[in-house]
Each structure stands twice: as C-alpha cells, then as structure tokens.
Amino acid sequence: MEKFVYQMFILGCENLSEALKKGLGGVIFFTKDINSEYEIKQKVLELKSKALISPFLSIDQEGGRVERTERIYSKRLSARYAYQQGDTFLKKQADEMSKELAELGFNLNFAPCIDVNTNPNNPIIGERAFSDNPEDVIKGSKIVIESLRKNNIIPCVKHFPGHGDADKDSHLTLPKIDLSLEEMERIHIKPFVSAIQSNIEMIMVAHLYCTCFDSEEIPASLSCNVLGYLRNKLNYEGVVISDDMVMKGVQKYGSLDACLKGINAGVDMFIFRNSDDKTLNMIDDLVKIVEQDEQLCKKVVASYNRIISLKKKFGLI
C-alpha cells in the first residue's frame, strides 16, 4: 500500500530520495528552484533516476503574476492581459511557454486558471483570470489547454468550484463564497463544465468554503458534497488534486487529518510545497492508517489507478 499512498502526493523538490524510492507521485518546482536551464535539466534527470514510478514534474506557469521561470526567461503577460491582446497573441504566448516547459523537462502545468473573476477586490485571482465573463474564460482556456497538450504537458485547470468571487486570500484564511448553486453554475462552474466536456486531465480543487454545497464551514477541497458534485453531477472521471495543503485555508485541520478527509471526499492527489521530515513522516503515518481501513484502501487504489492511467496517456510510464 505504501507506493499507492505515496503516488497521491506532489512535494517540493528537496529531500526526496527516500520518497521517490517509495513511489512519490510528483514534484513541484517554484521560482527559488529554477536558476538556470542546465541546473533544472540536471535536477529533472536526477529525480527521474531515483523514482520507483516516473513522477509528475510540475510547475505553476500561468504567465504574469504566477510565473516560476522568471530568473531564466523573460516575463510574460497574465491571462487577462494576454487574452485582451487577441487569440493570435494568446496562442503564441501559450505555445512559447509550453515549449519552454517541455524543453526543461516538465510534464504537468497547474494552468490555466479558469476562475471567473467577478469580484474586482479579489486579492488572489484578479488578472490571473482571463475575464469576468465565463464565455471569455472558456475561449481563453481552450487555447492554453490545446497548446499544453500539443507540447505533451498535462494541463490542470483550477480552482474548482470557482475562486473568482472570493474577497480573501486562501493562502491566509478560508474564503467564504456565499452564492446560490444556480449562480455558481451559471458563472463560476461553467468553464469547468466546458473543460470536462473536452476531457480535461486534471482539476485542482480550492481551499474555500461554498455555502451552496455545505452548511458546515469546510474547504471545498475536503468536501464530500463538492467532490461528489464534480464526480456524479458533472461526470468528471479524471484526476482531482488539492491546492497546496500548507495554505491556511486548510491547515486548521492539521496535515494528516486534512489528507484523511480529502481522501474520503474523493481527492486523488495532494500538493505539499514542503518536503521536510514532518511532511514525509505524515505520509508514512497515513500509509499505516490506510492499511487498517478497507474503505480508505479502496479509495486510494481508485486514485492510484487514475494517476497511473494519466501518466500512461502522456507516455510518462
């Protein structure tokens, strides 16, 4: 069961030798990790050589505010400003970024951001969204998704069920989205429906509380109702991944309990930007708990199969 559980985690890129040997699912790179083309290519080769199962090599590369290669490549425009330049410009920028990621050895990009930025005071999304109009978001996201796929980079749309109306930053607290389900579906969930119809490979779930799904204050990322809706109402069959689990919007539960809640709700993978001993020990504790629980075991095996299926689809294994 160890490799099944480890496959559900994407960790920061330090201190990973043992985790990779145990079957770690993937690695995430941040700006601090990317200082030269040569260095990053060597790091990628080293990680692959140590891995029991070929890992996702992932990055948040949206352009503009969220762009991790800024130390080695020139900055690009955020989604909103790139989209405003027209389809040709957006496609060219997306192609250039996708080719750069492929050249460096990445195979998974946590992009595009398909939130509909309806709150002008949104502190976390803003220009990261293509628009405050769902149709524009759908149009822009299709261009970026196609470009990533063409360059053999797995796209991951975010942040389900929609972070665009938030007035707080989920890195710092748990934002509350107090909209009816009808309004969520009409605006914020609409781009996700479009992505699912085009067989999107991975969806990132947000750490925000949506009153239309839960009466109890719980992050969407740990909510049986939110993930049940995604699976059963929207018929999504791909990989569901959490936003970074060290964010304050989810950390009040503690990492172990949050992961248990997430697995029960239907999360397939968890991101932890920290790969310190505390995080690795938590995964080992999780393995022991899963081994003693038949229902958890079944959920973990189902997640493992989705992850492996996606890796096979993109030729990683």
Side-chain angles (χ1 to χ4, degrees):
M1 189 47 61
E2 184 178 69
K3 78 171 181 179
F4 287 76
V5 174
Y6 264 87
Q7 194 62 199
M8 297 178 73
F9 286 85
I10 291 181
L11 305 181
C13 66
E14 302 302 325
N15 190 32
L16 291 182
S17 294
E18 287 306 309
L20 286 163
K21 288 174 191 171
K22 292 176 179 179
L24 182 67
V27 184
I28 184 167
F29 292 76
F30 294 94
T31 305
K32 66 180 176 58
D33 306 311
I34 303 173
N35 298 300
S36 76
E37 286 190 30
Y38 176 78
E39 182 188 323
I40 200 72
K41 287 177 182 179
Q42 291 303 114
K43 184 72 175 176
V44 162
L45 290 173
E46 177 198 336
L47 293 167
K48 283 182 174 178
S49 71
K50 290 178 179 176
L52 176 68
I53 300 169
S54 187
F56 288 129
L57 296 160
S58 67
I59 191 168
D60 289 283
Q61 190 80 340
E62 301 171 16
R65 236 167 67 192
V66 180
E67 194 170 336
R68 308 303 191 201
T69 59
E70 58 190 53
R71 291 180 179 177
I72 60 173
Y73 298 135
S74 56
K75 289 279 283 181
R76 300 305 198 321
L77 294 183
S78 293
R80 179 201 293 168
Y81 300 122
Y83 182 75
Q84 287 174 354
Q85 297 293 317
D87 294 3
T88 304
F89 180 92
L90 179 61
K91 183 179 183 305
K92 182 172 181 289
Q93 173 170 296
D95 283 344
E96 287 172 356
M97 289 170 66
S98 299
K99 282 172 185 163
E100 285 170 358
L101 293 182
E103 175 66 23
L104 291 174
F106 292 102
N107 53 42
L108 170 59
N109 188 12
F110 297 122
C113 174
I114 63 171
D115 300 300
V116 183
N117 198 67
T118 51
N119 183 350
N121 298 315
N122 194 319
I124 185 64
I125 303 300
E127 68 193 55
R128 296 170 63 193
F130 292 102
S131 173
D132 58 4
N133 180 300
E135 298 303 331
D136 288 330
V137 171
I138 289 168
K139 187 178 170 191
S141 66
K142 282 181 175 176
I143 292 170
V144 174
I145 289 167
E146 183 184 340
S147 175
L148 288 164
R149 284 175 174 157
K150 190 172 69 181
N151 289 284
N152 216 41
I153 307 285
I154 300 164
C156 173
V157 295
K158 57 190 185 184
H159 306 80
F160 187 82
H163 218 305
D165 202 61
D167 61 358
K168 291 184 172 64
D169 182 347
S170 50
H171 291 87
L172 308 175
T173 187
L174 182 65
K176 179 179 178 180
I177 306 289
D178 196 11
L179 300 174
S180 68
L181 181 59
E182 186 277 327
E183 189 168 4
M184 285 294 290
E185 288 179 330
R186 184 171 55 83
I187 299 171
H188 299 281
I189 293 174
K190 197 170 185 182
F192 291 95
V193 171
S194 172
I196 290 166
Q197 288 168 348
S198 74
N199 298 312
I200 192 65
E201 290 81 357
M202 188 179 284
I203 293 178
M204 182 183 289
V205 187
H207 304 314
L208 45 79
Y209 166 50
C210 298
T211 58
C212 63
F213 285 108
D214 291 284
S215 52
E216 173 200 353
E217 188 175 282
I218 185 170
S221 51
L222 309 184
S223 166
C224 293
N225 292 335
V226 171
L227 294 174
Y229 174 92
L230 179 59
R231 291 290 188 206
N232 303 321
K233 178 79 189 294
L234 302 186
N235 299 314
Y236 180 59
E237 296 177 355
V239 174
V240 171
I241 190 165
S242 74
D243 207 340
D244 194 339
M245 295 294 286
V246 304
M247 290 163 65
K248 293 290 192 296
V250 72
Q251 260 301 311
K252 75 170 189 177
Y253 297 94
S255 296
L256 180 60
D257 196 29
C259 287
L260 286 167
K261 281 182 164 55
I263 293 169
N264 270 312
V267 176
D268 297 310
M269 297 194 83
F270 301 95
I271 300 172
F272 278 83
R273 69 168 56 221
N274 300 335
S275 50
D276 52 15
D277 289 342
K278 183 181 173 187
T279 303
L280 296 172
N281 291 337
M282 182 276 297
I283 300 174
D284 288 332
D285 290 341
L286 184 61
V287 171
K288 290 170 191 163
I289 293 169
V290 170
E291 285 174 342
Q292 303 301 315
D293 188 314
E294 192 178 337
Q295 283 305 110
L296 274 177
C297 242
K298 284 181 181 173
K299 288 177 179 289
V300 167
V301 170
S303 293
Y304 176 87
N305 289 335
R306 283 192 199 99
I307 295 160
I308 295 298
S309 175
L310 178 53
K311 288 184 173 183
K312 284 180 177 173
K313 179 183 173 184
F314 276 76
L316 307 190
I317 53 177

